[in-house]
């Protein structure tokens, strides 16, 4: 639970669905860190840990969750909200991301995903900028009971033109949408933790 709607920082866990060294999606998470309001603190989930999560196997889970899965679930639990950078593979989300979410979702009655505010974004080298992958991910949100923001939607198409060689997001339009998404995630997280009325009255009383 957040301490105070206005004073407490909102802690966000960013997960990128690509293990690639030069991943545009991880670069997009770094852009979100840069463009987020001060009240939003984004921690990016460690790539090595993500890479070490085994393929989901219920038999393995029954024998005890792998340490990397425990770390993932703890970090999701501690976060007030999630920010997912979703690569598009064959018109859907990457297996890396889906596998991590599958682990985090079990057992369903103890899933740290349950009720979690979440913002989606994605970068792809194609012209649709992960639209299809993000739409598939919204189905995953339904079953896991995550609460995804509806808008703004951030689709970074033709990513090779939008990032420079250092992995910085240089496209002004994309930067604007990422900034708007982070502002919306801050509001959405506060609303879900406190309710719209309380958040609005807190804002007014502080003005
Ligand atoms: C892709 N890519 C891709 N792009 C797209 O816009 N739509 C798609 O369906 C696919 N499919 C696809 C499948 C597979 C197996 C690979 C490896 C790639 C291209 C993809 O967008 C590109 O590789 C991105 O750079 C992946 O994201 P990261 O690794 O840069 O974060």
């Amino acid at each position: 639970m957040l301490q105070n709607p206005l004073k407490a920082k909102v802690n966000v866990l960013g997960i990128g669905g690509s293990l690639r060294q030069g991943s545009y999606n991880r670069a997009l998470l770094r852009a979100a860190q840069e463009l987020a309001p001060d009240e939003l603190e984004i921690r990016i989930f460690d790539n090595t840990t993500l890479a070490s999560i085994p393929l989901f196997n219920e038999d393995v889970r029954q024998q005890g969750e792998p340490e990397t899965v425990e770390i993932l679930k703890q970090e999701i639990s501690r976060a007030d909200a999630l920010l997912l950078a979703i690569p598009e593979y064959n018109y859907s989300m990457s297996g890396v991301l889906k596998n991590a979410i599958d682990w985090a979702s079990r057992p369903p009655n103890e899933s740290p995903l349950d009720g979690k505010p979440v913002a989606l974004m994605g970068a792809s080298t194609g012209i649709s900028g992960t639209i299809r992958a993000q739409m598939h991910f919204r189905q995953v949100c339904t079953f896991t009971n995550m609460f995804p923001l509806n808008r703004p939607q951030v689709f970074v198409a033709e990513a090779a033109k939008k990032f420079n060689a250092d992995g910085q997001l240089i496209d002004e339009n994309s930067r604007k949408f990422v900034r708007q998404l982070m502002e919306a995630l801050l509001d959405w997280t506060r609303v879900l933790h406190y309710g719209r009325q309380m958040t609005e009255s807190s804002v007014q009383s502080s003005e």
Side-chain angles (χ1 to χ4, degrees), residues 132-171:
R132 297 172 183 93
Q134 290 193 42
M135 287 304 165
H136 275 184
F137 198 85
R138 286 179 187 275
Q139 284 182 216
V140 174
C141 291
T142 306
F143 191 75
T144 54
N145 198 36
M146 286 187 270
F147 297 147
L149 264 171
N150 286 329
R151 60 174 182 256
Q153 301 191 85
V154 178
F155 305 123
V156 180
E158 299 184 300
K161 298 179 188 165
K162 310 283 172 63
F163 293 87
N164 67 15
D166 296 327
Q168 284 165 327
L169 184 63
I170 50 170
D171 178 65

Side-chain angles (χ1 to χ4, degrees), residues 164-184:
N164 67 15
D166 296 327
Q168 284 165 327
L169 184 63
I170 50 170
D171 178 65
E172 275 312 317
N173 219 27
S174 304
R175 289 176 69 84
K176 182 183 81 183
F177 282 121
V178 171
R179 190 180 291 114
Q180 287 175 356
L181 182 67
M182 293 307 95
E183 287 164 359

